[in-house]
Amino acid sequence: MLEMVKAAEYDLLHYPERKMGYGLKRTIKILTGRKVEPPDKINWPNGLLAMGLADYYMAHKNSEEARVIVDCLKQYYDRWIRRGCKMYYLDDAFSGLALIDLYQITGEEKYKKAADVMVKYLFNHETDDRGSLPYRPNQKNGYIFADTIGMVCPFLCKYGSTYGDMNAVNLAVTQIQNFIEMGMDAKTGLPYHGYQEESGVKYGIIGWGRAAGWLMIGMSETLACLENTRPSYEVIKQAYRRLVDKVEAYQLPNGLYSWQLGAKEGPADTSATAMILYSVAKSLNTKTLIGIHRSRMVRGRDALLGMVEEGRIGNCLAECQGFSMYPQIYGSYPWSLGPALSLFVAAEEIN
């Protein structure tokens, strides 16, 4: 696992690595009035890496690598803080999970203030009529993505439970409950990639593996922070358990999950696998799930462990480009490395 930690440390400070000439091309576009993406370094892939590193630190505080991890996390967040804590997208909030951990580790107030900036951004974000957060509001399409549940709700709920902010918890719960009601396929029990509230139309394929993974992470992380006396806790827990049962039925004999859960003869996707299994391992540790799920989780974990090469995990589906736009390109990406590292750490507690 240490090889993976080293790879995650490197990627956290270097992803995305720009090709030669990137800066010049960007400048030319700006000067000619063309649209350019902001230089977003607090993005969700880095958030997954930061979470994996923070999880490893929490489980191995006395290891030699622990100090290196803290230094790496500080470099990552300090860079963002120096640039004014700019938030560009909803999915930037996933980096807030490890940011809360870093404040608890160091006690440095700047990390608490940075988390405050994140939650304020989410509070001020546009919502639809049911209170859900559109993924890209500037596109004016009202699309709600399953990804948002995993990218936003864990931070909101952890922030709210850590700092006593029930508005943050309530916003997280609203996202999950709305998606459960409007984003699921009634026949299979699996999620669509997303939906639009106004029309009620559901979009994307049913059972895209990473959509299921994001949804499961969002629900399991929220349940880990949510008070079990709250009425919504039981509602979300039962919905989560049903989803886990439905997803596990699609696990391949080798322990992995396909890029599209129902496409059992298609390529396996290590990112979907790692996300799904991490969520299950997390929920076994918090007792949200019972031990019957352990054997499936262990089988998948062992399959992923066997695929680690030089600290990285290949066979990971490339970045999604939108609803039903899933380029069939596979390689090693942060979104397989980060959740796999978190999975392996969580599974240590179960063993």
Side-chain angles (χ1 to χ4, degrees):
M1 203 186 325
L2 191 55
E3 265 193 325
M4 295 176 65
V5 171
K6 291 295 187 184
E9 289 167 351
Y10 178 86
D11 286 357
L12 182 63
L13 299 179
H14 295 88
Y15 180 86
E17 293 194 84
R18 305 297 188 183
K19 295 180 180 179
M20 187 177 296
Y22 167 80
L24 177 60
K25 291 178 181 178
R26 179 180 173 82
T27 301
I28 292 172
K29 285 183 178 180
I30 293 173
L31 292 175
T32 56
R34 295 159 64 188
K35 184 179 179 181
V36 296
E37 290 291 316
D40 188 13
K41 285 286 191 177
I42 202 81
N43 50 60
W44 65 266
N46 282 333
L48 286 167
L49 294 170
M51 180 181 75
L53 290 171
D55 287 345
Y56 186 90
Y57 172 88
M58 293 299 184
H60 302 87
K61 291 181 181 179
N62 296 323
S63 68
E64 293 183 9
E65 196 62 27
R67 179 187 57 79
V68 179
I69 288 173
V70 172
D71 288 344
C72 180
L73 290 172
K74 290 179 72 172
Q75 286 185 61
Y76 172 60
Y77 290 108
D78 286 350
R79 179 177 63 190
W80 179 61
I81 291 169
R82 285 195 303 271
R83 294 175 178 175
C85 296
K86 293 181 180 179
M87 295 280 289
Y88 296 105
Y89 304 116
L90 276 179
D91 35 21
D92 294 346
F94 196 79
S95 281
L97 277 176
L99 181 59
I100 294 172
D101 290 333
L102 187 59
Y103 173 63
Q104 293 174 323
I105 293 166
T106 66
E108 295 185 38
E109 192 65 25
K110 62 182 175 181
Y111 300 124
K112 168 62 167 60
K113 291 180 179 178
D116 293 342
V117 171
M118 281 192 174
V119 83
K120 184 178 180 180
Y121 171 85
L122 296 175
F123 285 162
N124 292 332
H125 196 278
E126 180 181 319
T127 63
D128 64 20
D129 290 343
R130 295 172 63 95
S132 290
L133 299 162
Y135 193 61
R136 294 288 186 264
N138 63 321
Q139 295 178 3
K140 305 300 181 184
N141 52 32
Y143 290 161
I144 308 299
F145 280 67
D147 314 42
T148 302
I149 307 303
M151 293 173 175
V152 171
C153 297
F155 166 68
L156 282 171
C157 221
K158 187 169 184 174
Y159 180 96
S161 63
T162 302
Y163 303 122
D165 189 332
M166 287 303 102
N167 289 326
V169 175
N170 292 339
L171 185 57
V173 168
T174 296
Q175 307 312 302
I176 295 172
Q177 290 183 320
N178 285 348
F179 200 94
I180 291 170
E181 183 176 342
M182 300 197 67
M184 307 299 288
D185 176 58
K187 183 176 180 180
T188 64
L190 298 176
Y192 278 81
H193 193 172
Y195 68 90
Q196 185 191 55
E197 185 272 335
E198 185 177 3
S199 65
V201 173
K202 301 172 185 180
Y203 289 93
I205 62 174
I206 298 168
W208 177 45
R210 221 154 50 222
W214 277 122
L215 182 57
M216 288 174 64
I217 285 176
M219 296 173 80
S220 57
E221 292 284 351
T222 295
L223 287 167
C225 296
L226 207 59
E227 293 182 357
N228 60 13
T229 55
R230 184 184 174 116
S232 55
Y233 175 86
E234 194 63 28
V235 173
I236 295 173
K237 184 176 78 170
Q238 294 307 321
Y240 174 71
R241 286 178 168 178
R242 289 193 298 271
L243 177 59
V244 171
D245 287 341
K246 296 297 185 181
V247 169
E248 285 186 338
Y250 293 91
Q251 190 174 28
L252 300 173
N254 62 6
L256 303 177
Y257 286 91
S258 174
W259 76 276
Q260 180 185 0
L261 297 179
K264 291 192 173 184
E265 296 180 27
D269 175 19
T270 54
S271 63
T273 300
M275 288 179 173
I276 290 167
L277 296 178
Y278 164 68
S279 175
V280 171
K282 173 86 174 185
S283 298
L284 286 168
N285 286 333
T286 59
K287 310 302 181 186
T288 302
L289 294 177
I290 58 176
I292 192 172
H293 299 278
R294 180 184 179 279
S295 61
R296 287 182 175 273
M297 184 278 294
V298 169
R299 180 151 50 94
R301 178 206 61 184
D302 290 347
L304 286 175
L305 273 171
M307 299 177 72
V308 177
E309 293 185 7
E310 297 181 351
R312 303 182 187 279
I313 299 180
N315 221 69
C316 172
L317 181 66
E319 188 169 3
C320 166
Q321 303 300 314
F323 289 144
S324 298
M325 299 171 66
Y326 316 104
Q328 292 298 294
I329 300 170
Y330 293 82
S332 298
Y333 298 101
W335 45 96
S336 60
L337 175 57
L341 183 56
S342 291
L343 162 65
F344 297 158
V345 171
E348 285 183 321
E349 297 182 35
I350 297 170
N351 290 340

Short mmCIF file of all heavy atoms in Angstrom, two decimals, residues 244-279:
data_model
loop_
_atom_site.label_atom_id
_atom_site.label_comp_id
_atom_site.label_asym_id
_atom_site.label_seq_id
_atom_site.Cartn_x
_atom_site.Cartn_y
_atom_site.Cartn_z
N VAL A 244 -27.28 -1.18 -2.28
CA VAL A 244 -26.14 -2.10 -2.16
C VAL A 244 -26.54 -3.50 -2.63
O VAL A 244 -25.80 -4.15 -3.39
CB VAL A 244 -25.62 -2.15 -0.71
CG1 VAL A 244 -24.60 -3.27 -0.55
CG2 VAL A 244 -25.00 -0.81 -0.33
N ASP A 245 -27.70 -3.95 -2.22
CA ASP A 245 -28.17 -5.28 -2.64
C ASP A 245 -28.30 -5.36 -4.16
O ASP A 245 -27.92 -6.37 -4.78
CB ASP A 245 -29.51 -5.60 -1.99
CG ASP A 245 -29.39 -5.91 -0.50
OD1 ASP A 245 -28.28 -6.24 -0.05
OD2 ASP A 245 -30.42 -5.82 0.21
N LYS A 246 -28.85 -4.31 -4.75
CA LYS A 246 -29.03 -4.30 -6.21
C LYS A 246 -27.69 -4.27 -6.93
O LYS A 246 -27.48 -5.01 -7.91
CB LYS A 246 -29.87 -3.09 -6.62
CG LYS A 246 -31.29 -3.08 -6.09
CD LYS A 246 -32.11 -4.24 -6.61
CE LYS A 246 -33.56 -4.13 -6.15
NZ LYS A 246 -34.38 -5.28 -6.62
N VAL A 247 -26.77 -3.45 -6.45
CA VAL A 247 -25.47 -3.31 -7.11
C VAL A 247 -24.67 -4.60 -6.98
O VAL A 247 -24.04 -5.07 -7.95
CB VAL A 247 -24.69 -2.12 -6.52
CG1 VAL A 247 -23.24 -2.13 -6.98
CG2 VAL A 247 -25.35 -0.80 -6.92
N GLU A 248 -24.67 -5.21 -5.82
CA GLU A 248 -23.86 -6.41 -5.60
C GLU A 248 -24.28 -7.56 -6.51
O GLU A 248 -23.46 -8.44 -6.81
CB GLU A 248 -23.94 -6.84 -4.14
CG GLU A 248 -23.11 -5.96 -3.21
CD GLU A 248 -23.07 -6.48 -1.79
OE1 GLU A 248 -23.98 -7.25 -1.40
OE2 GLU A 248 -22.14 -6.10 -1.06
N ALA A 249 -25.50 -7.54 -6.96
CA ALA A 249 -25.97 -8.60 -7.87
C ALA A 249 -25.23 -8.57 -9.20
O ALA A 249 -25.23 -9.56 -9.94
CB ALA A 249 -27.47 -8.46 -8.10
N TYR A 250 -24.57 -7.45 -9.50
CA TYR A 250 -23.86 -7.30 -10.77
C TYR A 250 -22.36 -7.51 -10.64
O TYR A 250 -21.62 -7.33 -11.61
CB TYR A 250 -24.13 -5.91 -11.36
CG TYR A 250 -25.57 -5.71 -11.79
CD1 TYR A 250 -26.51 -5.18 -10.90
CD2 TYR A 250 -25.99 -6.06 -13.07
CE1 TYR A 250 -27.83 -5.01 -11.28
CE2 TYR A 250 -27.31 -5.88 -13.46
CZ TYR A 250 -28.23 -5.36 -12.56
OH TYR A 250 -29.53 -5.18 -12.94
N GLN A 251 -21.89 -7.89 -9.46
CA GLN A 251 -20.45 -8.11 -9.30
C GLN A 251 -19.99 -9.27 -10.18
O GLN A 251 -20.64 -10.31 -10.24
CB GLN A 251 -20.12 -8.41 -7.83
CG GLN A 251 -18.62 -8.43 -7.55
CD GLN A 251 -18.33 -8.57 -6.06
OE1 GLN A 251 -19.10 -9.16 -5.31
NE2 GLN A 251 -17.19 -8.04 -5.62
N LEU A 252 -18.89 -9.07 -10.86
CA LEU A 252 -18.36 -10.09 -11.76
C LEU A 252 -17.72 -11.22 -10.94
O LEU A 252 -17.32 -11.01 -9.79
CB LEU A 252 -17.33 -9.47 -12.70
CG LEU A 252 -17.86 -8.33 -13.60
CD1 LEU A 252 -16.71 -7.68 -14.36
CD2 LEU A 252 -18.92 -8.85 -14.56
N PRO A 253 -17.57 -12.40 -11.53
CA PRO A 253 -16.97 -13.52 -10.80
C PRO A 253 -15.58 -13.22 -10.25
O PRO A 253 -15.19 -13.77 -9.21
CB PRO A 253 -16.92 -14.63 -11.86
CG PRO A 253 -18.05 -14.32 -12.79
CD PRO A 253 -18.09 -12.82 -12.85
N ASN A 254 -14.84 -12.33 -10.92
CA ASN A 254 -13.49 -12.01 -10.44
C ASN A 254 -13.49 -10.95 -9.34
O ASN A 254 -12.43 -10.54 -8.86
CB ASN A 254 -12.59 -11.57 -11.60
CG ASN A 254 -13.09 -10.30 -12.28
OD1 ASN A 254 -14.06 -9.67 -11.84
ND2 ASN A 254 -12.44 -9.93 -13.38
N GLY A 255 -14.67 -10.47 -8.95
CA GLY A 255 -14.78 -9.50 -7.87
C GLY A 255 -14.91 -8.06 -8.31
O GLY A 255 -15.22 -7.18 -7.50
N LEU A 256 -14.67 -7.78 -9.60
CA LEU A 256 -14.74 -6.42 -10.11
C LEU A 256 -16.16 -6.08 -10.56
O LEU A 256 -17.06 -6.93 -10.55
CB LEU A 256 -13.76 -6.24 -11.27
CG LEU A 256 -12.29 -6.56 -10.98
CD1 LEU A 256 -11.45 -6.40 -12.24
CD2 LEU A 256 -11.74 -5.68 -9.87
N TYR A 257 -16.35 -4.83 -10.98
CA TYR A 257 -17.61 -4.38 -11.55
C TYR A 257 -17.34 -3.80 -12.93
O TYR A 257 -16.32 -3.15 -13.16
CB TYR A 257 -18.27 -3.32 -10.67
CG TYR A 257 -18.88 -3.88 -9.40
CD1 TYR A 257 -18.12 -3.95 -8.23
CD2 TYR A 257 -20.19 -4.33 -9.37
CE1 TYR A 257 -18.67 -4.47 -7.06
CE2 TYR A 257 -20.75 -4.85 -8.21
CZ TYR A 257 -19.98 -4.92 -7.06
OH TYR A 257 -20.52 -5.44 -5.91
N SER A 258 -18.29 -4.01 -13.83
CA SER A 258 -18.16 -3.49 -15.19
C SER A 258 -18.37 -1.98 -15.20
O SER A 258 -18.98 -1.41 -14.29
CB SER A 258 -19.18 -4.17 -16.10
OG SER A 258 -19.17 -3.58 -17.39
N TRP A 259 -17.90 -1.34 -16.25
CA TRP A 259 -18.09 0.11 -16.40
C TRP A 259 -19.58 0.46 -16.39
O TRP A 259 -19.99 1.50 -15.88
CB TRP A 259 -17.42 0.62 -17.67
CG TRP A 259 -18.18 0.29 -18.93
CD1 TRP A 259 -18.14 -0.86 -19.64
CD2 TRP A 259 -19.13 1.14 -19.59
NE1 TRP A 259 -19.00 -0.80 -20.72
CE2 TRP A 259 -19.61 0.42 -20.71
CE3 TRP A 259 -19.61 2.43 -19.35
CZ2 TRP A 259 -20.56 0.95 -21.59
CZ3 TRP A 259 -20.55 2.96 -20.22
CH2 TRP A 259 -21.02 2.22 -21.33
N GLN A 260 -20.39 -0.40 -17.01
CA GLN A 260 -21.85 -0.32 -16.89
C GLN A 260 -22.26 -1.62 -16.20
O GLN A 260 -21.98 -2.71 -16.71
CB GLN A 260 -22.52 -0.20 -18.25
CG GLN A 260 -24.04 -0.12 -18.15
CD GLN A 260 -24.73 -0.11 -19.51
OE1 GLN A 260 -24.07 -0.16 -20.55
NE2 GLN A 260 -26.05 -0.05 -19.50
N LEU A 261 -22.89 -1.52 -15.07
CA LEU A 261 -23.07 -2.69 -14.22
C LEU A 261 -23.69 -3.87 -14.94
O LEU A 261 -23.29 -5.01 -14.73
CB LEU A 261 -23.90 -2.31 -12.99
CG LEU A 261 -23.27 -1.27 -12.06
CD1 LEU A 261 -24.19 -0.96 -10.89
CD2 LEU A 261 -21.91 -1.73 -11.56
N GLY A 262 -24.65 -3.60 -15.81
CA GLY A 262 -25.32 -4.69 -16.50
C GLY A 262 -24.54 -5.26 -17.67
O GLY A 262 -24.89 -6.33 -18.19
N ALA A 263 -23.47 -4.58 -18.08
CA ALA A 263 -22.68 -5.04 -19.23
C ALA A 263 -21.60 -6.00 -18.75
O ALA A 263 -20.41 -5.69 -18.75
CB ALA A 263 -22.06 -3.84 -19.95
N LYS A 264 -22.00 -7.19 -18.36
CA LYS A 264 -21.08 -8.12 -17.72
C LYS A 264 -20.02 -8.68 -18.67
O LYS A 264 -19.02 -9.25 -18.23
CB LYS A 264 -21.85 -9.26 -17.07
CG LYS A 264 -22.67 -8.81 -15.86
CD LYS A 264 -23.19 -9.98 -15.06
CE LYS A 264 -23.86 -9.52 -13.78
NZ LYS A 264 -24.29 -10.66 -12.92
N GLU A 265 -20.24 -8.54 -19.96
CA GLU A 265 -19.23 -8.97 -20.93
C GLU A 265 -18.40 -7.78 -21.43
O GLU A 265 -17.56 -7.94 -22.30
CB GLU A 265 -19.90 -9.69 -22.10
CG GLU A 265 -20.58 -10.99 -21.67
CD GLU A 265 -21.24 -11.71 -22.84
OE1 GLU A 265 -20.78 -11.55 -23.98
OE2 GLU A 265 -22.22 -12.44 -22.60
N GLY A 266 -18.66 -6.61 -20.86
CA GLY A 266 -17.89 -5.42 -21.22
C GLY A 266 -16.69 -5.26 -20.31
O GLY A 266 -16.44 -6.08 -19.42
N PRO A 267 -15.92 -4.19 -20.51
CA PRO A 267 -14.72 -3.97 -19.71
C PRO A 267 -15.05 -3.72 -18.24
O PRO A 267 -16.01 -3.02 -17.91
CB PRO A 267 -14.09 -2.72 -20.34
CG PRO A 267 -14.73 -2.57 -21.67
CD PRO A 267 -16.10 -3.15 -21.55
N ALA A 268 -14.26 -4.30 -17.37
CA ALA A 268 -14.35 -3.95 -15.95
C ALA A 268 -13.74 -2.57 -15.75
O ALA A 268 -12.84 -2.16 -16.48
CB ALA A 268 -13.62 -4.98 -15.10
N ASP A 269 -14.25 -1.86 -14.77
CA ASP A 269 -13.77 -0.51 -14.47
C ASP A 269 -13.29 -0.47 -13.02
O ASP A 269 -14.08 -0.64 -12.10
CB ASP A 269 -14.88 0.52 -14.69
CG ASP A 269 -14.48 1.93 -14.28
OD1 ASP A 269 -13.27 2.19 -14.17
OD2 ASP A 269 -15.39 2.75 -14.06
N THR A 270 -12.00 -0.24 -12.84
CA THR A 270 -11.45 -0.26 -11.48
C THR A 270 -11.90 0.94 -10.65
O THR A 270 -11.91 0.86 -9.42
CB THR A 270 -9.91 -0.31 -11.51
OG1 THR A 270 -9.41 0.76 -12.32
CG2 THR A 270 -9.42 -1.63 -12.08
N SER A 271 -12.27 2.04 -11.30
CA SER A 271 -12.74 3.19 -10.52
C SER A 271 -14.12 2.90 -9.94
O SER A 271 -14.37 3.14 -8.75
CB SER A 271 -12.77 4.46 -11.37
OG SER A 271 -13.66 4.36 -12.46
N ALA A 272 -15.03 2.39 -10.76
CA ALA A 272 -16.35 2.02 -10.25
C ALA A 272 -16.22 0.97 -9.16
O ALA A 272 -16.88 1.04 -8.12
CB ALA A 272 -17.22 1.50 -11.39
N THR A 273 -15.35 -0.01 -9.40
CA THR A 273 -15.14 -1.08 -8.42
C THR A 273 -14.64 -0.51 -7.10
O THR A 273 -15.16 -0.85 -6.03
CB THR A 273 -14.14 -2.11 -8.97
OG1 THR A 273 -14.65 -2.68 -10.17
CG2 THR A 273 -13.89 -3.21 -7.95
N ALA A 274 -13.63 0.34 -7.16
CA ALA A 274 -13.04 0.89 -5.94
C ALA A 274 -14.05 1.74 -5.17
O ALA A 274 -14.13 1.68 -3.94
CB ALA A 274 -11.80 1.71 -6.28
N MET A 275 -14.83 2.55 -5.89
CA MET A 275 -15.82 3.40 -5.23
C MET A 275 -16.89 2.57 -4.54
O MET A 275 -17.25 2.81 -3.38
CB MET A 275 -16.46 4.34 -6.25
CG MET A 275 -15.55 5.45 -6.74
SD MET A 275 -16.41 6.48 -7.97
CE MET A 275 -15.21 7.79 -8.20
N ILE A 276 -17.42 1.60 -5.26
CA ILE A 276 -18.48 0.75 -4.71
C ILE A 276 -17.97 0.00 -3.48
O ILE A 276 -18.61 -0.03 -2.42
CB ILE A 276 -18.99 -0.23 -5.78
CG1 ILE A 276 -19.77 0.54 -6.86
CG2 ILE A 276 -19.85 -1.32 -5.16
CD1 ILE A 276 -20.06 -0.27 -8.11
N LEU A 277 -16.80 -0.61 -3.60
CA LEU A 277 -16.28 -1.42 -2.51
C LEU A 277 -15.84 -0.57 -1.32
O LEU A 277 -15.98 -0.99 -0.17
CB LEU A 277 -15.10 -2.26 -3.01
CG LEU A 277 -15.44 -3.31 -4.07
CD1 LEU A 277 -14.17 -4.03 -4.52
CD2 LEU A 277 -16.46 -4.32 -3.56
N TYR A 278 -15.32 0.63 -1.59
CA TYR A 278 -14.98 1.52 -0.47
C TYR A 278 -16.23 1.86 0.33
O TYR A 278 -16.22 1.84 1.57
CB TYR A 278 -14.32 2.80 -0.97
CG TYR A 278 -14.32 3.86 0.12
CD1 TYR A 278 -13.53 3.71 1.26
CD2 TYR A 278 -15.15 4.98 0.04
CE1 TYR A 278 -13.57 4.65 2.28
CE2 TYR A 278 -15.18 5.92 1.05
CZ TYR A 278 -14.39 5.75 2.17
OH TYR A 278 -14.44 6.67 3.19
N SER A 279 -17.30 2.18 -0.38
CA SER A 279 -18.54 2.51 0.31
C SER A 279 -19.02 1.35 1.18
O SER A 279 -19.43 1.54 2.33
CB SER A 279 -19.63 2.87 -0.71
OG SER A 279 -20.87 3.09 -0.08
#
